[in-house]
Amino acid sequence: MIFAQLISAHLIGDFILQPNAWVADKESKILKSKYLYFHVLIHTILSFIFLWNLELWWVALGMGISHFIIDVCKLKFQTAETKKNWFFIDQALHLLVIALFSFYFKEFNLEVFKNQNYLKILMAVIFLTTPASIFIKILLSSWTPVTEEEGNNQNESLSNAGKYIGILERLMVFTFITVNHWEGVGFMIAAKSVFRFSDLAQAKQRKLTEYVLIGTLLSFGMAILTGILIKI
């Protein structure tokens, strides 16, 4: 199934195998950045690996070329003010290219999706890890709170703890939904509320509390929506 295979390759290439240092280098140097070409090459190779069909080499090549064109356009036209908008435009265009390939092979029908459950689950699990974290981070970028004791509290939290907590909670929520145990989702929400929001209440920082609440709802919402879509 080309749609799920190309989506999985895209999620891994764009979010998991692309360090922040590569992104920064591409934004500053654009066409002169070697990481732009490394990134495109990784996408081409991943597309070929997921397709695993020598006759479809041109699809993998097409994914690489389209990715290069879309990324260059985003890098050239985005500004500090429009960076968030261009991120979503960029992802929408990549999704459109994948959809066009799927339409070409006439794979957009419900029967195909029903017979490829393992690919749907793989695609969902990949999305709910780093890609979902990046989406949430970008959506919340306009509201990042600055705490009064930010410098003193940096060592009180484990490195990237919030990111991995979010990934684990989304995967657990997704698992509960796929096995039809919605009560587990309620337990997860209650447990996080007790541990997380009690600390925030003691800190008496309303903006930080609202920020964490929005992030939590986005995280759970993505996992729930993904689980529902997989079960359709």
Side-chain angles (χ1 to χ4, degrees), residues 46-95:
L46 284 172
S47 297
F48 185 79
I49 291 173
F50 272 85
L51 292 171
W52 204 249
N53 187 338
L54 287 174
E55 295 181 356
L56 297 179
W57 63 268
W58 60 274
V59 176
L61 181 62
M63 287 299 301
I65 293 172
S66 66
H67 204 96
F68 175 79
I69 295 172
I70 293 169
D71 275 18
V72 168
C73 290
K74 181 190 73 170
L75 293 170
K76 280 186 172 293
F77 294 112
Q78 74 177 6
T79 62
E81 293 76 19
T82 63
K83 187 174 180 179
K84 180 165 68 174
N85 294 335
W86 270 104
F87 169 81
F88 291 107
I89 293 172
D90 171 80
Q91 294 301 313
L93 290 174
H94 291 313
L95 181 60

Side-chain angles (χ1 to χ4, degrees), residues 4-219:
Q5 291 166 331
L6 293 180
I7 284 288
S8 299
H10 172 74
L11 291 174
I12 294 174
D14 235 25
F15 298 99
I16 298 176
L17 297 183
Q18 183 176 210
N20 291 332
W22 287 23
V23 177
D25 192 80
K26 289 194 303 178
E27 289 176 346
S28 62
K29 299 179 182 178
I30 309 178
L31 287 171
K32 294 181 180 179
S33 172
K34 63 181 179 182
Y35 297 115
L36 172 62
Y37 304 98
F38 289 165
H39 179 61
V40 171
L41 180 61
I42 287 173
H43 268 281
T44 305
I45 294 173
L46 284 172
S47 297
F48 185 79
I49 291 173
F50 272 85
L51 292 171
W52 204 249
N53 187 338
L54 287 174
E55 295 181 356
L56 297 179
W57 63 268
W58 60 274
V59 176
L61 181 62
M63 287 299 301
I65 293 172
S66 66
H67 204 96
F68 175 79
I69 295 172
I70 293 169
D71 275 18
V72 168
C73 290
K74 181 190 73 170
L75 293 170
K76 280 186 172 293
F77 294 112
Q78 74 177 6
T79 62
E81 293 76 19
T82 63
K83 187 174 180 179
K84 180 165 68 174
N85 294 335
W86 270 104
F87 169 81
F88 291 107
I89 293 172
D90 171 80
Q91 294 301 313
L93 290 174
H94 291 313
L95 181 60
L96 177 61
V97 171
I98 294 173
L100 289 175
F101 277 118
S102 300
F103 275 118
Y104 176 82
F105 287 98
K106 300 178 181 179
E107 289 191 339
F108 263 139
N109 59 77
L110 292 178
E111 289 302 318
V112 171
F113 277 94
K114 289 178 181 178
N115 294 330
Q116 300 288 344
N117 286 330
Y118 68 97
L119 285 174
K120 293 195 296 181
I121 293 174
L122 174 63
M123 181 175 61
V125 169
I126 293 173
F127 169 73
L128 291 174
T129 56
T130 304
S133 298
I134 294 175
F135 271 92
I136 293 171
K137 181 179 179 180
I138 291 175
L139 285 169
L140 294 176
S141 61
S142 301
W143 302 317
T144 304
V146 178
T147 61
E148 294 180 358
E149 300 178 354
E150 185 176 355
N152 296 328
N153 292 333
Q154 286 180 347
N155 296 325
E156 294 183 5
S157 178
L158 297 175
S159 177
N160 293 322
K163 172 185 174 181
Y164 294 113
I165 289 171
I167 290 174
L168 289 172
E169 74 184 14
R170 286 191 295 274
L171 291 177
M172 292 179 69
V173 169
F174 175 75
T175 302
F176 285 134
I177 293 174
T178 54
V179 297
N180 291 317
H181 282 287
W182 283 83
E183 66 275 11
V185 179
F187 171 78
M188 287 285 298
I189 295 174
K192 185 164 185 178
S193 299
V194 170
F195 286 107
R196 183 58 168 153
F197 295 112
S198 61
D199 291 340
L200 291 171
Q202 292 177 6
K204 297 180 180 180
Q205 296 180 2
R206 181 172 180 177
K207 290 183 179 180
L208 180 60
T209 303
E210 292 172 344
Y211 176 82
V212 173
L213 178 59
I214 294 172
T216 298
L217 292 176
L218 282 172
S219 183

